[in-house]
PDB file of all heavy atoms in Angstrom:
ATOM      1  N   ASN A 672     178.143  80.957  92.325  1.00  0.00           N
ATOM      2  CA  ASN A 672     177.511  80.092  93.316  1.00  0.00           C
ATOM      3  C   ASN A 672     176.356  80.839  93.957  1.00  0.00           C
ATOM      4  O   ASN A 672     176.474  81.347  95.074  1.00  0.00           O
ATOM      5  CB  ASN A 672     178.534  79.676  94.386  1.00  0.00           C
ATOM      6  CG  ASN A 672     179.601  78.769  93.820  1.00  0.00           C
ATOM      7  OD1 ASN A 672     179.357  77.593  93.575  1.00  0.00           O
ATOM      8  ND2 ASN A 672     180.769  79.320  93.580  1.00  0.00           N
ATOM      9  N   MET A 674     173.813  80.116  95.473  1.00  0.00           N
ATOM     10  CA  MET A 674     173.368  79.699  96.806  1.00  0.00           C
ATOM     11  C   MET A 674     174.181  80.393  97.898  1.00  0.00           C
ATOM     12  O   MET A 674     173.720  80.565  99.010  1.00  0.00           O
ATOM     13  CB  MET A 674     173.539  78.172  96.896  1.00  0.00           C
ATOM     14  CG  MET A 674     172.805  77.527  98.031  1.00  0.00           C
ATOM     15  SD  MET A 674     171.061  77.890  98.016  1.00  0.00           S
ATOM     16  CE  MET A 674     170.510  76.886  96.638  1.00  0.00           C
ATOM     17  N   LEU A 675     175.423  80.751  97.548  1.00  0.00           N
ATOM     18  CA  LEU A 675     176.314  81.418  98.494  1.00  0.00           C
ATOM     19  C   LEU A 675     176.460  82.892  98.125  1.00  0.00           C
ATOM     20  O   LEU A 675     177.461  83.519  98.473  1.00  0.00           O
ATOM     21  CB  LEU A 675     177.693  80.758  98.457  1.00  0.00           C
ATOM     22  CG  LEU A 675     177.755  79.252  98.690  1.00  0.00           C
ATOM     23  CD1 LEU A 675     179.185  78.757  98.514  1.00  0.00           C
ATOM     24  CD2 LEU A 675     177.274  78.917 100.102  1.00  0.00           C
ATOM     25  N   ARG A 681     171.507  89.963 102.815  1.00  0.00           N
ATOM     26  CA  ARG A 681     172.514  90.723 102.054  1.00  0.00           C
ATOM     27  C   ARG A 681     171.840  91.674 101.074  1.00  0.00           C
ATOM     28  O   ARG A 681     172.340  92.769 100.814  1.00  0.00           O
ATOM     29  CB  ARG A 681     173.438  89.758 101.305  1.00  0.00           C
ATOM     30  CG  ARG A 681     174.248  88.908 102.273  1.00  0.00           C
ATOM     31  CD  ARG A 681     174.898  87.687 101.629  1.00  0.00           C
ATOM     32  NE  ARG A 681     175.341  86.773 102.677  1.00  0.00           N
ATOM     33  CZ  ARG A 681     175.772  85.553 102.470  1.00  0.00           C
ATOM     34  NH1 ARG A 681     175.837  85.071 101.236  1.00  0.00           N
ATOM     35  NH2 ARG A 681     176.142  84.797 103.483  1.00  0.00           N
ATOM     36  N   ILE A 684     170.517  94.661 102.919  1.00  0.00           N
ATOM     37  CA  ILE A 684     171.528  95.639 103.313  1.00  0.00           C
ATOM     38  C   ILE A 684     171.989  96.468 102.123  1.00  0.00           C
ATOM     39  O   ILE A 684     172.156  97.672 102.222  1.00  0.00           O
ATOM     40  CB  ILE A 684     172.690  94.928 104.043  1.00  0.00           C
ATOM     41  CG1 ILE A 684     172.171  94.496 105.416  1.00  0.00           C
ATOM     42  CG2 ILE A 684     173.897  95.837 104.169  1.00  0.00           C
ATOM     43  CD1 ILE A 684     172.997  93.454 106.093  1.00  0.00           C
ATOM     44  N   GLU A 726     174.204  92.408 110.762  1.00  0.00           N
ATOM     45  CA  GLU A 726     173.235  92.299 109.669  1.00  0.00           C
ATOM     46  C   GLU A 726     171.827  92.402 110.238  1.00  0.00           C
ATOM     47  O   GLU A 726     170.985  93.158 109.752  1.00  0.00           O
ATOM     48  CB  GLU A 726     173.389  90.948 108.949  1.00  0.00           C
ATOM     49  CG  GLU A 726     174.617  90.842 108.083  1.00  0.00           C
ATOM     50  CD  GLU A 726     174.811  89.425 107.513  1.00  0.00           C
ATOM     51  OE1 GLU A 726     174.425  88.444 108.194  1.00  0.00           O
ATOM     52  OE2 GLU A 726     175.357  89.304 106.410  1.00  0.00           O
ATOM     53  N   ARG A 761     177.671  79.926 110.851  1.00  0.00           N
ATOM     54  CA  ARG A 761     178.144  81.036 111.665  1.00  0.00           C
ATOM     55  C   ARG A 761     177.045  81.557 112.584  1.00  0.00           C
ATOM     56  O   ARG A 761     177.298  81.923 113.734  1.00  0.00           O
ATOM     57  CB  ARG A 761     178.683  82.172 110.792  1.00  0.00           C
ATOM     58  CG  ARG A 761     179.472  83.179 111.608  1.00  0.00           C
ATOM     59  CD  ARG A 761     180.072  84.276 110.763  1.00  0.00           C
ATOM     60  NE  ARG A 761     181.050  85.030 111.527  1.00  0.00           N
ATOM     61  CZ  ARG A 761     180.744  85.951 112.438  1.00  0.00           C
ATOM     62  NH1 ARG A 761     179.495  86.233 112.680  1.00  0.00           N
ATOM     63  NH2 ARG A 761     181.695  86.593 113.091  1.00  0.00           N
ATOM     64  N   PHE A 788     177.359  70.876 105.305  1.00  0.00           N
ATOM     65  CA  PHE A 788     178.008  69.836 104.509  1.00  0.00           C
ATOM     66  C   PHE A 788     178.810  70.428 103.355  1.00  0.00           C
ATOM     67  O   PHE A 788     179.557  69.700 102.706  1.00  0.00           O
ATOM     68  CB  PHE A 788     176.951  68.906 103.886  1.00  0.00           C
ATOM     69  CG  PHE A 788     176.476  67.790 104.778  1.00  0.00           C
ATOM     70  CD1 PHE A 788     175.394  67.963 105.608  1.00  0.00           C
ATOM     71  CD2 PHE A 788     177.121  66.567 104.762  1.00  0.00           C
ATOM     72  CE1 PHE A 788     174.946  66.936 106.422  1.00  0.00           C
ATOM     73  CE2 PHE A 788     176.679  65.532 105.559  1.00  0.00           C
ATOM     74  CZ  PHE A 788     175.584  65.716 106.400  1.00  0.00           C
ATOM     75  N   SER A 791     175.513  71.262  97.752  1.00  0.00           N
ATOM     76  CA  SER A 791     174.338  71.872  97.134  1.00  0.00           C
ATOM     77  C   SER A 791     173.301  70.794  96.881  1.00  0.00           C
ATOM     78  O   SER A 791     173.589  69.779  96.254  1.00  0.00           O
ATOM     79  CB  SER A 791     174.758  72.521  95.820  1.00  0.00           C
ATOM     80  OG  SER A 791     173.693  72.547  94.910  1.00  0.00           O
ATOM     81  N   TYR A 802     176.933  57.494  97.244  1.00  0.00           N
ATOM     82  CA  TYR A 802     177.218  57.537  98.676  1.00  0.00           C
ATOM     83  C   TYR A 802     176.352  56.527  99.427  1.00  0.00           C
ATOM     84  O   TYR A 802     176.805  55.873 100.345  1.00  0.00           O
ATOM     85  CB  TYR A 802     176.943  58.944  99.221  1.00  0.00           C
ATOM     86  CG  TYR A 802     178.162  59.813  99.253  1.00  0.00           C
ATOM     87  CD1 TYR A 802     178.979  59.928  98.138  1.00  0.00           C
ATOM     88  CD2 TYR A 802     178.504  60.524 100.394  1.00  0.00           C
ATOM     89  CE1 TYR A 802     180.101  60.732  98.162  1.00  0.00           C
ATOM     90  CE2 TYR A 802     179.624  61.334 100.436  1.00  0.00           C
ATOM     91  CZ  TYR A 802     180.422  61.440  99.315  1.00  0.00           C
ATOM     92  OH  TYR A 802     181.531  62.224  99.358  1.00  0.00           O
ATOM     93  N   LYS A 805     177.527  52.991  98.517  1.00  0.00           N
ATOM     94  CA  LYS A 805     178.798  52.607  99.119  1.00  0.00           C
ATOM     95  C   LYS A 805     178.771  52.749 100.636  1.00  0.00           C
ATOM     96  O   LYS A 805     179.815  52.682 101.295  1.00  0.00           O
ATOM     97  CB  LYS A 805     179.917  53.446  98.513  1.00  0.00           C
ATOM     98  CG  LYS A 805     180.160  53.086  97.048  1.00  0.00           C
ATOM     99  CD  LYS A 805     181.316  53.821  96.427  1.00  0.00           C
ATOM    100  CE  LYS A 805     181.540  53.338  94.999  1.00  0.00           C
ATOM    101  NZ  LYS A 805     182.496  54.153  94.247  1.00  0.00           N
ATOM    102  N   ASP A 817     170.473  65.515 109.481  1.00  0.00           N
ATOM    103  CA  ASP A 817     171.734  64.940 109.947  1.00  0.00           C
ATOM    104  C   ASP A 817     171.922  65.338 111.411  1.00  0.00           C
ATOM    105  O   ASP A 817     172.393  66.425 111.724  1.00  0.00           O
ATOM    106  CB  ASP A 817     172.871  65.481 109.078  1.00  0.00           C
ATOM    107  CG  ASP A 817     174.222  65.330 109.748  1.00  0.00           C
ATOM    108  OD1 ASP A 817     174.518  64.221 110.232  1.00  0.00           O
ATOM    109  OD2 ASP A 817     174.983  66.314 109.778  1.00  0.00           O
TER     110      ASP A 817
ATOM    111  N   ASN B 672     175.899  75.200  91.714  1.00  0.00           N
ATOM    112  CA  ASN B 672     176.779  75.762  92.734  1.00  0.00           C
ATOM    113  C   ASN B 672     178.024  74.891  92.848  1.00  0.00           C
ATOM    114  O   ASN B 672     178.142  74.081  93.769  1.00  0.00           O
ATOM    115  CB  ASN B 672     176.043  75.812  94.083  1.00  0.00           C
ATOM    116  CG  ASN B 672     174.906  76.801  94.065  1.00  0.00           C
ATOM    117  OD1 ASN B 672     175.132  78.011  94.137  1.00  0.00           O
ATOM    118  ND2 ASN B 672     173.699  76.298  93.946  1.00  0.00           N
ATOM    119  N   MET B 674     180.863  75.242  93.879  1.00  0.00           N
ATOM    120  CA  MET B 674     181.623  75.266  95.128  1.00  0.00           C
ATOM    121  C   MET B 674     181.064  74.252  96.128  1.00  0.00           C
ATOM    122  O   MET B 674     181.764  73.764  97.005  1.00  0.00           O
ATOM    123  CB  MET B 674     181.535  76.687  95.694  1.00  0.00           C
ATOM    124  CG  MET B 674     182.527  76.987  96.768  1.00  0.00           C
ATOM    125  SD  MET B 674     184.212  76.700  96.237  1.00  0.00           S
ATOM    126  CE  MET B 674     184.449  78.091  95.125  1.00  0.00           C
ATOM    127  N   LEU B 675     179.765  73.971  95.991  1.00  0.00           N
ATOM    128  CA  LEU B 675     179.102  73.018  96.892  1.00  0.00           C
ATOM    129  C   LEU B 675     178.817  71.716  96.150  1.00  0.00           C
ATOM    130  O   LEU B 675     177.913  70.973  96.508  1.00  0.00           O
ATOM    131  CB  LEU B 675     177.772  73.606  97.378  1.00  0.00           C
ATOM    132  CG  LEU B 675     177.816  74.968  98.047  1.00  0.00           C
ATOM    133  CD1 LEU B 675     176.407  75.449  98.352  1.00  0.00           C
ATOM    134  CD2 LEU B 675     178.610  74.880  99.340  1.00  0.00           C
ATOM    135  N   ARG B 681     184.467  63.771  97.292  1.00  0.00           N
ATOM    136  CA  ARG B 681     183.285  63.234  96.605  1.00  0.00           C
ATOM    137  C   ARG B 681     183.684  62.640  95.257  1.00  0.00           C
ATOM    138  O   ARG B 681     183.097  61.653  94.809  1.00  0.00           O
ATOM    139  CB  ARG B 681     182.248  64.349  96.416  1.00  0.00           C
ATOM    140  CG  ARG B 681     181.731  64.846  97.740  1.00  0.00           C
ATOM    141  CD  ARG B 681     180.985  66.159  97.651  1.00  0.00           C
ATOM    142  NE  ARG B 681     180.823  66.715  98.993  1.00  0.00           N
ATOM    143  CZ  ARG B 681     180.396  67.934  99.260  1.00  0.00           C
ATOM    144  NH1 ARG B 681     180.087  68.756  98.269  1.00  0.00           N
ATOM    145  NH2 ARG B 681     180.288  68.342 100.506  1.00  0.00           N
ATOM    146  N   ILE B 684     185.294  59.289  95.794  1.00  0.00           N
ATOM    147  CA  ILE B 684     184.372  58.201  96.117  1.00  0.00           C
ATOM    148  C   ILE B 684     183.623  57.740  94.877  1.00  0.00           C
ATOM    149  O   ILE B 684     183.438  56.550  94.649  1.00  0.00           O
ATOM    150  CB  ILE B 684     183.439  58.631  97.265  1.00  0.00           C
ATOM    151  CG1 ILE B 684     184.273  58.656  98.554  1.00  0.00           C
ATOM    152  CG2 ILE B 684     182.260  57.671  97.403  1.00  0.00           C
ATOM    153  CD1 ILE B 684     183.682  59.441  99.665  1.00  0.00           C
ATOM    154  N   ARG B 725     182.912  58.466 107.184  1.00  0.00           N
ATOM    155  CA  ARG B 725     183.113  57.347 106.271  1.00  0.00           C
ATOM    156  C   ARG B 725     183.709  57.773 104.946  1.00  0.00           C
ATOM    157  O   ARG B 725     184.258  56.940 104.239  1.00  0.00           O
ATOM    158  CB  ARG B 725     181.776  56.631 106.028  1.00  0.00           C
ATOM    159  CG  ARG B 725     181.374  55.847 107.248  1.00  0.00           C
ATOM    160  CD  ARG B 725     180.205  54.945 106.952  1.00  0.00           C
ATOM    161  NE  ARG B 725     179.359  54.841 108.131  1.00  0.00           N
ATOM    162  CZ  ARG B 725     178.073  54.587 108.105  1.00  0.00           C
ATOM    163  NH1 ARG B 725     177.445  54.399 106.947  1.00  0.00           N
ATOM    164  NH2 ARG B 725     177.381  54.511 109.221  1.00  0.00           N
ATOM    165  N   GLU B 726     183.597  59.031 104.596  1.00  0.00           N
ATOM    166  CA  GLU B 726     184.288  59.497 103.385  1.00  0.00           C
ATOM    167  C   GLU B 726     185.788  59.280 103.557  1.00  0.00           C
ATOM    168  O   GLU B 726     186.456  58.714 102.693  1.00  0.00           O
ATOM    169  CB  GLU B 726     184.025  60.990 103.151  1.00  0.00           C
ATOM    170  CG  GLU B 726     182.625  61.313 102.668  1.00  0.00           C
ATOM    171  CD  GLU B 726     182.346  62.812 102.590  1.00  0.00           C
ATOM    172  OE1 GLU B 726     182.899  63.571 103.421  1.00  0.00           O
ATOM    173  OE2 GLU B 726     181.568  63.220 101.728  1.00  0.00           O
ATOM    174  N   ARG B 761     180.690  70.822 109.132  1.00  0.00           N
ATOM    175  CA  ARG B 761     180.385  69.499 109.659  1.00  0.00           C
ATOM    176  C   ARG B 761     181.650  68.777 110.100  1.00  0.00           C
ATOM    177  O   ARG B 761     181.667  68.077 111.118  1.00  0.00           O
ATOM    178  CB  ARG B 761     179.621  68.661 108.639  1.00  0.00           C
ATOM    179  CG  ARG B 761     179.003  67.423 109.289  1.00  0.00           C
ATOM    180  CD  ARG B 761     178.185  66.603 108.333  1.00  0.00           C
ATOM    181  NE  ARG B 761     177.383  65.634 109.048  1.00  0.00           N
ATOM    182  CZ  ARG B 761     177.848  64.501 109.538  1.00  0.00           C
ATOM    183  NH1 ARG B 761     179.115  64.185 109.381  1.00  0.00           N
ATOM    184  NH2 ARG B 761     177.063  63.673 110.192  1.00  0.00           N
ATOM    185  N   PHE B 788     180.031  81.081 106.528  1.00  0.00           N
ATOM    186  CA  PHE B 788     179.251  82.290 106.243  1.00  0.00           C
ATOM    187  C   PHE B 788     178.178  82.034 105.180  1.00  0.00           C
ATOM    188  O   PHE B 788     177.333  82.885 104.960  1.00  0.00           O
ATOM    189  CB  PHE B 788     180.160  83.392 105.686  1.00  0.00           C
ATOM    190  CG  PHE B 788     180.865  84.215 106.716  1.00  0.00           C
ATOM    191  CD1 PHE B 788     182.104  83.845 107.193  1.00  0.00           C
ATOM    192  CD2 PHE B 788     180.290  85.370 107.208  1.00  0.00           C
ATOM    193  CE1 PHE B 788     182.767  84.615 108.132  1.00  0.00           C
ATOM    194  CE2 PHE B 788     180.943  86.147 108.146  1.00  0.00           C
ATOM    195  CZ  PHE B 788     182.184  85.770 108.611  1.00  0.00           C
ATOM    196  N   SER B 791     180.049  82.980  98.972  1.00  0.00           N
ATOM    197  CA  SER B 791     181.028  82.617  97.956  1.00  0.00           C
ATOM    198  C   SER B 791     182.020  83.747  97.782  1.00  0.00           C
ATOM    199  O   SER B 791     181.636  84.886  97.565  1.00  0.00           O
ATOM    200  CB  SER B 791     180.303  82.356  96.639  1.00  0.00           C
ATOM    201  OG  SER B 791     181.136  82.625  95.547  1.00  0.00           O
ATOM    202  N   TYR B 802     179.023  96.231 102.830  1.00  0.00           N
ATOM    203  CA  TYR B 802     179.082  95.778 104.219  1.00  0.00           C
ATOM    204  C   TYR B 802     180.132  96.550 104.999  1.00  0.00           C
ATOM    205  O   TYR B 802     179.922  96.903 106.150  1.00  0.00           O
ATOM    206  CB  TYR B 802     179.430  94.285 104.260  1.00  0.00           C
ATOM    207  CG  TYR B 802     178.222  93.396 104.320  1.00  0.00           C
ATOM    208  CD1 TYR B 802     177.160  93.570 103.447  1.00  0.00           C
ATOM    209  CD2 TYR B 802     178.129  92.373 105.260  1.00  0.00           C
ATOM    210  CE1 TYR B 802     176.052  92.759 103.505  1.00  0.00           C
ATOM    211  CE2 TYR B 802     177.028  91.558 105.323  1.00  0.00           C
ATOM    212  CZ  TYR B 802     175.986  91.746 104.447  1.00  0.00           C
ATOM    213  OH  TYR B 802     174.884  90.947 104.517  1.00  0.00           O
ATOM    214  N   LYS B 805     178.908 100.179 105.455  1.00  0.00           N
ATOM    215  CA  LYS B 805     177.824 100.311 106.429  1.00  0.00           C
ATOM    216  C   LYS B 805     178.196  99.723 107.786  1.00  0.00           C
ATOM    217  O   LYS B 805     177.348  99.540 108.648  1.00  0.00           O
ATOM    218  CB  LYS B 805     176.551  99.648 105.885  1.00  0.00           C
ATOM    219  CG  LYS B 805     175.983 100.410 104.701  1.00  0.00           C
ATOM    220  CD  LYS B 805     174.689  99.828 104.166  1.00  0.00           C
ATOM    221  CE  LYS B 805     174.150 100.725 103.058  1.00  0.00           C
ATOM    222  NZ  LYS B 805     173.034 100.128 102.311  1.00  0.00           N
ATOM    223  N   ASP B 817     187.876  85.261 110.364  1.00  0.00           N
ATOM    224  CA  ASP B 817     186.775  85.618 111.264  1.00  0.00           C
ATOM    225  C   ASP B 817     186.920  84.805 112.543  1.00  0.00           C
ATOM    226  O   ASP B 817     186.520  83.648 112.619  1.00  0.00           O
ATOM    227  CB  ASP B 817     185.450  85.300 110.561  1.00  0.00           C
ATOM    228  CG  ASP B 817     184.294  85.213 111.549  1.00  0.00           C
ATOM    229  OD1 ASP B 817     184.161  86.125 112.376  1.00  0.00           O
ATOM    230  OD2 ASP B 817     183.544  84.216 111.487  1.00  0.00           O
TER     231      ASP B 817
END
Side-chain angles (χ1 to χ4, degrees):
Chain A
N672 292 285
M674 196 56 73
L675 305 176
R681 295 164 195 170
I684 288 162
E726 287 174 328
R761 194 177 193 283
F788 276 90
S791 152
Y802 266 49
K805 291 184 176 170
D817 161 49
Chain B
N672 293 284
M674 195 56 73
L675 305 175
R681 296 165 194 169
I684 288 162
R725 287 190 214 153
E726 287 174 327
R761 194 177 193 282
F788 275 90
S791 152
Y802 266 49
K805 292 183 176 170
D817 162 49

